[in-house]
Amino acid sequence: MQNKSIAIIGSGIAGISASIQLLKKNIPHTIFERRDFCGGRFYSFYDKNFEMELDNGQHFFVLSYKNFLEILNFLQTRKFVFFPKEEKIFFYRKDKEKAYFILSQKKRFFSLLFSSSFNFIEKLRYYQYYNLNKFFIELAIKSSDSFPKDIDAKEFLLSKKVPIPTIREFWEPLGVSIFNNSLEKIPANLFANVVKILFISGAGTNVIGYSCVQQSKILENYVKIIEETNSKIFFSHQITSISKTNGKFRVIANNEVEYFFDNIILCVQPNVLNKILPEDWLKDDYFKFLKHINFNPIVSIYIKTNKNIIEEDFGFLLNSPFHWIFNKSNMHELPTPPYFYSFTTSNATQLVSLSTKDILNLLQFEILEFFDKEINILKYKVIKDKFATIDINVKFNKYRPTQETPIEGLYIAGDWTQTMLPATLESAALSGKLAVQKMLEKMDIL
């Protein structure tokens, strides 16, 4: 097909998703990436201390992530993601009790709520069970548009008389893990939509998987595929300016070279838009969201230790500054000892301000509190991502932008754009697909 002069700026998950949609239709395009690798924040790097590749952060994969898994299917790397047929998700307590619930590829989530498969909620009275059951039924039969947009998820749950123990020991861990945010900030309609997708929409879609290899390996086929087509990718090309003259977009990179395109899909963080787009474009009401940009941090910790901490692959630490523990020795089938673990804290506003020494001391204390184990940390790596995800709170959600901008030929994609999903890999993948769909409609290419 004739080259329609399409540029994709940014090769994170959103950019790769958009590119793959064009590749499927044999439409040539040009990708600009400011770094020397693809993937955005989904990447791995070699650590000299560990003498191995480490992921920038731990990611879960869920079977309901259809758009992200579509990328892996195209790249023929879905084989590197492990989805168990049935799994126990463990919740660890400081009283040494180990609670869990079971996820299965054969059963709907809410069919497990009142069975022995779901044992971690404190004993509830009959009317509390009734209200919880009623809440799930309401989510199942109502559309996401019918849920309020101007209140937060916690207020929403309380209005539905969801039991406090359920909120504290299930919904709060779920909210911080999936949304990288607190229930007090998550928009109620967004929360309801995600719960429907993950737990109600179909049997088995809630099963959690993880990568058996480093994250960069999952995406490595993308560049090979691009090189075999008429499309091009330019690494170490940071775009510094975009303007429009005579119907063409004028793009300037950090090497001062000019490029001209008919259509552009911007797959960058929203705070970049202020730096590269003309001021008169940014005055449009569409860009009001830029006044409400805040970021939520994620802290990831890798350690090698002299003692095994848990037997399971992973679990959640209730009421701890560290949320998830991952047994990387198990997950990657590594020889032991030493034992390789990672810890992840979402919405890590408190941890991110601590020194590495203080974080490690606190981690050792928490491991002693939860598991009665005094460990020696043999090796460590602390990663503070202060700009991990956009804070999609009630106010930002009001202005959350669609993928089609008022500037003809200019589209944006990213996990922060309007997908009715939190800022996840799935949201990024879906946004890239939506941007291409809008663009091709305008180009009369079906």
Side-chain angles (χ1 to χ4, degrees):
M1 180 176 289
Q2 181 182 354
N3 190 340
K4 293 291 183 178
S5 190
I6 299 168
I8 297 175
I9 298 174
S11 66
I13 299 302
I16 291 174
S17 176
S19 175
I20 286 175
Q21 297 306 309
L22 295 173
L23 289 172
K24 288 179 177 179
K25 293 183 177 293
N26 297 315
I27 300 176
H29 52 282
T30 302
I31 307 104
F32 295 96
E33 171 54 53
R34 67 181 178 87
R35 296 190 288 191
D36 58 359
F37 60 88
C38 295
R41 287 182 166 80
F42 187 78
Y43 72 96
S44 310
F45 60 92
Y46 183 79
D47 186 84
K48 293 181 180 179
N49 186 32
F50 279 82
E51 298 181 316
M52 63 185 299
E53 292 266 328
L54 297 179
D55 293 332
N56 182 51
Q58 182 69 46
H59 286 274
F60 280 130
F61 307 97
V62 186
L63 277 176
S64 57
Y65 278 17
K66 296 179 181 179
N67 296 285
F68 179 73
L69 293 177
E70 184 180 313
I71 293 175
L72 304 194
N73 287 333
F74 183 85
L75 299 178
Q76 298 182 351
T77 56
R78 184 168 173 173
K79 60 187 177 183
F80 296 133
V81 178
F82 172 66
F83 286 104
K85 292 183 179 179
E86 186 173 275
E87 65 184 335
K88 288 184 179 180
I89 306 298
F90 286 91
F91 286 68
Y92 303 103
R93 305 171 185 265
K94 288 186 178 181
D95 61 10
K96 312 304 183 294
E97 290 293 326
K98 186 166 60 175
Y100 66 86
F101 66 88
I102 295 176
L103 296 178
S104 170
Q105 292 193 34
K106 296 181 180 180
K107 299 179 182 178
R108 290 179 182 268
F109 173 78
F110 64 87
S111 70
L112 302 173
L113 271 176
F114 308 104
S115 71
S116 60
S117 302
F118 195 75
N119 80 335
F120 75 96
I121 296 178
E122 295 176 9
K123 290 184 177 179
L124 304 177
R125 296 180 180 180
Y126 174 78
Y127 76 91
Q128 292 175 318
Y129 274 115
Y130 171 79
N131 287 334
L132 183 59
N133 193 24
K134 182 180 177 182
F135 172 68
F136 270 91
I137 292 173
E138 183 178 352
L139 287 178
I141 63 177
K142 285 189 175 182
S143 68
S144 300
D145 293 337
S146 65
F147 294 104
K149 302 177 182 179
D150 56 349
I151 65 172
D152 61 62
K154 189 167 187 177
E155 186 178 351
F156 174 62
L157 289 168
L158 290 172
S159 72
K160 299 301 178 182
K161 299 182 179 180
V162 174
I164 294 295
T166 314
I167 294 176
R168 183 177 63 247
E169 298 201 2
F170 180 68
W171 293 117
E172 286 182 358
L174 180 78
V176 76
S177 300
I178 296 177
F179 294 84
N180 191 28
N181 218 337
S182 64
L183 290 182
E184 290 85 357
K185 288 188 174 183
I186 301 167
N189 65 323
L190 181 61
F191 175 82
N193 185 58
V194 171
V195 172
K196 284 172 68 71
I197 292 172
L198 289 179
F199 299 140
I200 297 174
S201 61
T205 58
N206 50 59
V207 172
I208 294 174
Y210 55 81
S211 174
C212 300
V213 298
Q214 280 68 40
Q215 291 169 4
S216 294
K217 187 172 180 63
I218 292 178
L219 301 177
E220 67 179 2
N221 288 346
Y222 171 68
V223 175
K224 297 176 184 177
I225 292 172
I226 287 292
E227 291 173 346
E228 295 172 354
T229 70
N230 292 328
S231 298
K232 294 181 180 180
I233 184 166
F234 293 101
F235 289 108
S236 301
H237 274 57
Q238 182 169 351
I239 302 306
T240 59
S241 173
I242 296 175
S243 57
K244 200 170 187 181
T245 305
N246 298 324
K248 287 273 189 178
F249 287 101
R250 177 174 175 260
V251 177
I252 300 178
N254 53 352
N255 58 0
E256 299 300 323
V257 175
E258 292 183 341
Y259 304 87
F260 292 89
F261 297 96
D262 297 320
N263 298 277
I264 292 178
I265 302 178
L266 274 172
C267 304
V268 298
Q269 289 286 57
N271 54 320
V272 175
L273 302 181
N274 283 319
K275 302 174 183 178
I276 63 175
L277 296 182
E279 287 187 15
D280 58 324
W281 293 6
L282 297 174
K283 292 178 182 178
D284 191 282
D285 284 348
Y286 172 88
F287 292 99
K288 276 187 176 180
F289 66 90
L290 291 174
K291 297 179 181 179
H292 305 284
I293 297 296
N294 291 294
F295 291 87
N296 288 335
I298 293 177
V299 172
S300 301
I301 306 161
Y302 293 93
I303 64 169
K304 284 194 175 181
T305 179
N306 60 319
K307 293 181 181 179
N308 195 27
I309 302 172
I310 62 173
E311 297 299 326
E312 299 77 32
D313 287 347
F314 58 86
F316 191 91
L317 305 176
L318 287 168
N319 302 313
S320 171
F322 307 97
H323 294 154
W324 289 93
I325 175 175
F326 299 92
N327 187 337
K328 305 290 278 188
S329 294
N330 276 8
M331 295 166 69
H332 294 281
E333 299 181 344
L334 300 175
T336 57
Y339 300 91
F340 183 28
Y341 281 88
S342 70
F343 297 81
T344 298
T345 298
S346 301
N347 196 25
T349 52
Q350 295 180 337
L351 278 187
V352 78
S353 62
L354 298 181
S355 67
T356 295
K357 181 180 179 180
D358 286 342
I359 289 175
L360 295 176
N361 287 338
L362 182 58
L363 178 62
Q364 288 177 298
F365 175 79
E366 289 291 297
I367 291 172
L368 180 61
E369 286 279 292
F370 275 90
F371 306 106
D372 275 337
K373 294 183 179 180
E374 293 189 25
I375 65 164
N376 293 326
I377 296 178
L378 309 176
K379 294 182 179 182
Y380 63 86
K381 180 72 176 182
V382 176
I383 302 173
K384 299 178 182 179
D385 191 344
K386 296 181 180 180
F387 306 97
T389 63
I390 294 295
D391 180 3
I392 303 179
N393 53 43
V394 174
K395 182 171 288 187
F396 177 83
N397 199 46
K398 181 180 179 181
Y399 302 104
R400 194 175 183 184
T402 60
Q403 288 72 36
E404 185 177 4
T405 79
I407 313 302
E408 186 176 356
L410 180 66
Y411 305 85
I412 59 174
D415 58 15
W416 51 275
T417 61
Q418 186 55 268
T419 59
M420 281 300 294
L421 295 171
T424 57
L425 296 173
E426 176 66 1
S427 181
L430 176 58
S431 72
K433 179 185 288 189
L434 292 174
V436 170
Q437 288 176 355
K438 291 291 185 181
M439 183 182 67
L440 296 186
E441 287 174 6
K442 291 288 186 178
M443 296 168 64
D444 291 326
I445 299 176
L446 301 178

